[in-house]
Each structure stands twice: as structure tokens, then as C-alpha cells.
């Protein structure tokens, strides 16, 4: 509903203190009202310096001042933005993290469908108002692997194209587990309290999207229609989960933590791990010593090919930049177009460590998964993250426990399927 933010703010923010620009710790002073000045609210404070460098470069080239206002450290960014709106102090460009954030600004965002960068990426955020989100980095969900281990085992990751070849690869690696120094073939953890998001969102997200075109909504639409699942596709998905249960680290399968999962993979104890590309930062950060001792092995990612021929990984921007349609739209759009270009992409990728969502970008970040994601993106072999549209609490309150019960042996595969269908119907009946 257009302008619904007005009523939301009047009810939810009546009496809230008005936060002036510059009071967020960013050192900002400009209001951004000049036609030669724009303001961008950034939600990744860790790249504040790189964005300010880009702003300086842009001003040198164009004469347009770009004020970077970075928020982080637990700040409620959407709350701050709503206060800005109340005080008529909106930035020209600001961060939105997903559907809920974009819904806050229904009718207040610029449709950027006509911008040149849109045709160069598959990760733009689209709403009923058009293309309203500019992607600046990419994260991916796929079956991550240790390339050195697969090579030593004589397994070509490109040969894993479906259920039979996946099982064959697992069996081959398992037969050489001792000589490869492995604890388990795969680091699959189904702990239900703290890792429900890994099974219930990311792994199940492949049931929804793996192998599909980015705009194919077949299975998310079924799910939204009363919690329906496709029997044949979900049965194939269950077969893959059963395979993971069989070849996982049994001591940690239903009790392990995220930190243990990533550390063990970084240490070379698993050939595969069921996590996304974000673990690269942990491997080269907190787990850098363990990763170095394991040889700083090459990493890759393959599709969750639970059906023969599935050839995509799931990629998405974790957040986007939106343009306020009541601000300096022309200057804001011009800056974003420049940010999608070669000069800015070099800084974003090589200095900020982002994985570019733009097909024309030739830079590859120093991240274990950057190269493989860039290759999938350039080849157009990516699917969407429609799990973001699942009903609230679906994985946390309903399906995470079902994955755990299947992993522990409490449920057979047939019971896993029937129970999953039952709790899904219950979740969507709420």
C-alpha cells in the first residue's frame, strides 16, 4: 500500500527522539540536499574506509560529493532511517536487508529498471515498484568442498551431477577416509536450536530453488499456498539428506556448533561442508591458523544435485542499496551506475573483499570461494533465494527439529517426509 510508512511511523515512532545526521557516530554533517551532494547510509561498517575512498574518487571525477554514513555495532538501522524520515532528513541512498526492510518503504523508492547496471546482474532486488535494490556483493549457498581432498581421492567435482554420482563420490572418499586424514566425508550438522537456519533455510532452500531459473517461483508459490510440497521433488531432496546423515560426523551430527563445523572443515577434516560462501571469511580470519596448517587448500562449490542435471548454486545479495525517490534521484542513480563500473568494482572486490554480483566484473576477491562464485555468476548458473519469503518462524519453530530427528534416527526417511509435510501445513495454517 503506497505511503503505508506514514501510518507505521505515526504509530510506531510517535514520541521517538529525532536523530540528527551526525549523531550516529559517523561524523556526518551534510544534509545531502544540494544537487551536487548525496548521502549514503551503509550497513557494513567494516568497509567504511573503502566506501569513503570510493566517494573521494567519485568526487574527483564528477564534482559530486558523496557522504558515507556507516552504521553498525548493533544499531537498528531501519529504526534510525524511520527517525530520519520523520525529521525530513532522509539519505539519498540507504541499505535494505530484505523483504521486510523494503516493505517499510513501499512507494518511497526509485524504480531503477532503466539503469544500465540492471542487465549486468541477476541479483537486483525487485518489488511491485520495479527494481528498487542495487546489489553490491554476493553470497552463495552450495555444497562447499575441499578441492585438495577431492583431487587426492580421485573425485572430479564436475562429475557430481545428480544423486548417483554424488553417492559414488561419497563412497569413494569414505573408502579412503583414513589415508586422507578425514573425520567424515561431510560436515553436515543438524543441531536444531542454533543451526536450524542452516538446515531449515539454506539446505531446504535448495528444494525450493536448485536448478531453477532465478524468476521461477514454482515451489515457493506452492509453499505459500497453504504449505504445499511437491511430493516427487521433496522425496528426491530427502534422499540427499539421508545420504548426508549417513556420511556425516556422527559425533557432532545433532549436537555440533557452527564454530566446530567451520573449524573442522578449515582443518581439513571434512571433504564437504553444508555452509555458504560466508565461511570463507572465518577460514581466513578466526580459523586462519588451522586453515594454514591444512595447507590453505583450494575451495570450491557444487550444486546440491539431488535431481539429475541440477546445475546451479543459490546466490543472493545479503543486502541492497535503495534510492529514496524524494531525494537527489538523478545524482544517486549516477553514483550507483559508477559503482557498478570497473574502477569502483576493483576497490569493492580487491580492497573491501566483496564478491561482485556483476557479470562484467573481472576482479576476484582474495576469498576461498570467490573464484567459483564468480564463475557460476558469469555463466548464468545461479538460482534465487526464495527461502527469504518463507513464513515467519518456519525453520526455527517447525522444520529445524524435523531435520534433527531424521539425523538422530528418531525418524525414518518416510517419517521425515510425512512429518515435514505435516509441520509445514501447520506452519502455514497459522
Amino acid at each position: 500500500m503506497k505511503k503505508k510508512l506514514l501510518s507505521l511511523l505515526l504509530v510506531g515512532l510517535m514520541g521517538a527522539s529525532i536523530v540528527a545526521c551526525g549523531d550516529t557516530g559517523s561524523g556526518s554533517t551534510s544534509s545531502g540536499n544540494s544537487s551536487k551532494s548525496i548521502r549514503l547510509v551503509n550497513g557494513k561498517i567494516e568497509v567504511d574506509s573503502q566506501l569513503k575512498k570510493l566517494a573521494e574518487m567519485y568526487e574527483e571525477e564528477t564534482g559530486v560529493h558523496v557522504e558515507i554514513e556507516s552504521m553498525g555495532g548493533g544499531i537498528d538501522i531501519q529504526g534510525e532511517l524511520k527517525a530520519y524520515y520523520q525529521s525530513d532528513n532522509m539519505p539519498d541512498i540507504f541499505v535494505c536487508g530484505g523483504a521486510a526492510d523494503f516493505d517499510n518503504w513501499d512507494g518511497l523508492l526509485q524504480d531503477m529498471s532503466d539503469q544500465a547496471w540492471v542487465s549486468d546482474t541477476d541479483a537486483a532486488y525487485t518489488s511491485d515498484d520495479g527494481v528498487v535494490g542495487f546489489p553490491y556483493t554476493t553470497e552463495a549457498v552450495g555444497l562447499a568442498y575441499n578441492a585438495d581432498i577431492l583431487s587426492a581421492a580421485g573425485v572430479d567435482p564436475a562429475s557430481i551431477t545428480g544423486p548417483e554420482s554424488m553417492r559414488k563420490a561419497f563412497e569413494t572418499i569414505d573408502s579412503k577416509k583414513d589415508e586422507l586424514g578425514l573425520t567424515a566425508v561431510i560436515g553436515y550438522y543438524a543441531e536444531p536450536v542454533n543451526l536450524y537456519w542452516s538446515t531449515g533455510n539454506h539446505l531446504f532452500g535448495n528444494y525450493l530453488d536448485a536448478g531453477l531459473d532465478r524468476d521461477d517461483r514454482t515451489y515457493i508459490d506452492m509453499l505459500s499456498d497453504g504449505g504445499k510440497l511437491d511430493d516427487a521433488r521433496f522425496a528426491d531432496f530427502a534422499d540427499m539428506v539421508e545420504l548426508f546423515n549417513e556420511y556425516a560426523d556422527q559425533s557432532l551430527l545433532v549436537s555440533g556448533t557452527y564454530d566446530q563445523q567451520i573449524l573442522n572443515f578449515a582443518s581439513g577434516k571434512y571433504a564437504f561442508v553444508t555452509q555458504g560462501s560466508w565461511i570463507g571469511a572465518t577460514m581466513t580470519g578466526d580459523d586462519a591458523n588451522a586453515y594454514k596448517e591444512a595447507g590453505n587448500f583450494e575451495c570450491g562449490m557444487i550444486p546440491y544435485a539431488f535431481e539429475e542435471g541440477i546445475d546451479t548454486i543459490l546466490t543472493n545479495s545479503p543486502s541492497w542499496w535503495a534510492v529514496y525517490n524524494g531525494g537527489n534521484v538523478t545524482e544517486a542513480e549516477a553514483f550507483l551506475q559508477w559503482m557498478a563500473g570497473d574502477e569502483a568494482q576493483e576497490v569493492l572486490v580487491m580492497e573491501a573483499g566483496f564478491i561482485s554480483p556483476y557479470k562484467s566484473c573481472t576482479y576476484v576477491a582474495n576469498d576461498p570461494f570467490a573464484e567459483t562464485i564468480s564463475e557460476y555468476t558469469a555463466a548464468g548458473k545461479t538460482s534465487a533465494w526464495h527461502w527469504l519469503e518463507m513464513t515467519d518462524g518456519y525453520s526455527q519453530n517447525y522444520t529445524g527439529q524435523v531435520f534433527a530427528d531424521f539425523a538422530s534416527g528418531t525418524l525414518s526417511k518416510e517419517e521425515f517426509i510425512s512429518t515435514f509435510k505435516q509441520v509445514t501445513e501447520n506452519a502455514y495454517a497459522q
Side-chain angles (χ1 to χ4, degrees):
M1 180 176 180
K2 303 298 183 184
K3 305 297 183 181
K4 71 177 181 182
L5 181 64
L6 289 173
S7 59
L8 181 152
L9 289 168
L10 289 174
V11 174
L13 292 174
M14 190 65 69
S17 59
I18 302 303
V19 183
C21 180
D23 290 341
T24 64
S26 65
S28 303
T29 57
S30 169
S31 67
N33 290 328
S34 167
S35 61
K36 290 297 181 180
S37 177
I38 59 175
R39 180 164 132 248
L40 184 153
V41 168
N42 160 50
K44 284 187 171 290
I45 200 167
E46 65 272 19
V47 296
D48 176 74
S49 62
Q50 292 90 341
L51 292 181
K52 286 177 176 174
K53 174 181 178 177
L54 286 165
E56 291 176 2
M57 291 167 57
Y58 188 71
E59 185 168 6
E60 288 177 5
E61 289 187 24
T62 66
V64 176
H65 176 70
V66 181
E67 180 181 343
I68 303 297
E69 181 179 342
S70 294
M71 297 183 184
I75 290 177
D76 177 5
I77 297 176
Q78 288 295 305
E80 295 290 317
L81 289 168
K82 291 170 187 177
Y84 285 164
Y85 184 81
Q86 281 284 73
S87 59
D88 194 25
N89 187 32
M90 280 295 286
D92 302 285
I93 304 170
F94 59 91
V95 65
C96 283
D101 288 357
F102 280 102
D103 285 348
N104 287 333
W105 310 99
D106 185 24
L108 299 173
L109 302 180
Q110 176 68 14
D111 178 7
M112 297 182 280
S113 300
D114 62 348
Q115 297 297 292
W117 61 262
V118 174
S119 63
D120 195 29
T121 182
D122 292 325
Y125 189 91
T126 303
S127 73
D128 291 341
D129 292 328
V131 175
V132 293
F134 173 94
Y136 52 85
T137 188
T138 299
E139 289 182 349
V141 176
L143 184 54
Y145 64 83
N146 179 326
D148 290 358
I149 287 177
L150 265 63
S151 177
V155 173
D156 180 1
S159 70
I160 304 175
T161 60
E164 292 184 8
S165 52
M166 186 181 293
R167 174 168 286 278
K168 181 180 178 180
F170 277 41
E171 290 173 346
T172 298
I173 295 170
D174 187 64
S175 70
K176 303 177 180 180
K177 191 169 59 176
D178 291 341
E179 64 185 82
L180 295 171
L182 296 178
T183 301
V185 174
I186 184 169
Y188 167 61
Y189 289 14
E191 190 277 325
V193 177
N194 298 302
L195 280 174
Y196 65 85
W197 52 268
S198 180
T199 52
N201 288 344
H202 300 151
L203 187 59
F204 178 71
N206 282 272
Y207 157 79
L208 294 174
D209 282 301
L212 306 185
D213 291 339
R214 296 191 68 89
D215 60 355
D216 190 332
R217 298 181 53 86
T218 300
Y219 302 107
I220 185 63
D221 284 347
M222 285 183 64
L223 192 67
S224 300
D225 183 19
K228 296 182 176 65
L229 299 174
D230 181 274
D231 289 342
R233 184 173 171 90
F234 191 76
D236 289 339
F237 173 78
D239 285 340
M240 182 182 70
V241 178
E242 184 179 48
L243 179 72
F244 293 174
N245 288 338
E246 181 180 353
Y247 287 98
D249 184 346
Q250 300 300 311
S251 67
L252 295 171
L253 178 54
V254 292
S255 64
T257 67
Y258 173 81
D259 289 343
Q260 289 174 311
Q261 187 181 22
I262 308 314
L263 177 59
N264 284 344
F265 179 71
S267 302
K269 294 181 179 180
Y270 304 144
F272 298 94
V273 67
T274 55
Q275 284 292 347
S277 61
W278 50 85
I279 70 172
T282 303
M283 293 171 64
T284 56
D286 291 347
D287 295 342
N289 289 336
Y291 185 40
K292 182 178 180 180
E293 290 179 10
N296 288 327
F297 53 84
E298 181 182 346
C299 293
M301 193 172 282
I302 58 173
Y304 281 103
F306 56 90
E307 291 180 341
E308 187 63 45
I310 286 180
D311 61 355
T312 65
I313 60 173
L314 277 53
T315 65
N316 207 58
S317 179
S319 58
W320 296 260
W321 289 331
V323 172
Y324 176 50
N325 64 15
N328 295 321
V329 172
T330 299
E331 297 293 3
E333 287 188 322
F335 177 66
L336 291 184
Q337 183 59 56
W338 182 82
M339 290 289 277
D342 185 79
E343 190 174 8
Q345 286 294 298
E346 182 177 12
V347 175
L348 289 174
V349 172
M350 304 309 294
E351 297 184 31
F354 287 169
I355 298 175
S356 178
Y358 294 96
K359 299 173 185 177
S360 62
C361 179
T362 59
Y363 302 105
V364 178
N366 183 26
D367 178 276
F369 295 97
E371 185 172 358
T372 190
I373 294 171
S374 297
E375 290 173 354
Y376 277 104
T377 299
K381 294 295 185 179
T382 68
S383 298
W385 282 15
H386 284 120
W387 59 266
L388 292 170
E389 301 177 27
M390 297 187 309
T391 190
D392 289 345
Y394 178 52
S395 60
Q396 182 174 10
N397 301 326
Y398 294 91
T399 64
Q401 186 62 54
V402 184
F403 277 104
D405 289 343
F406 187 25
S408 69
T410 304
L411 298 177
S412 67
K413 183 174 62 179
E414 290 70 24
E415 290 169 333
F416 169 71
I417 293 172
S418 62
T419 304
F420 206 103
K421 292 176 69 174
Q422 181 180 355
V423 301
T424 296
E425 291 174 0
N426 292 341
Y428 277 83
Q430 302 300 315

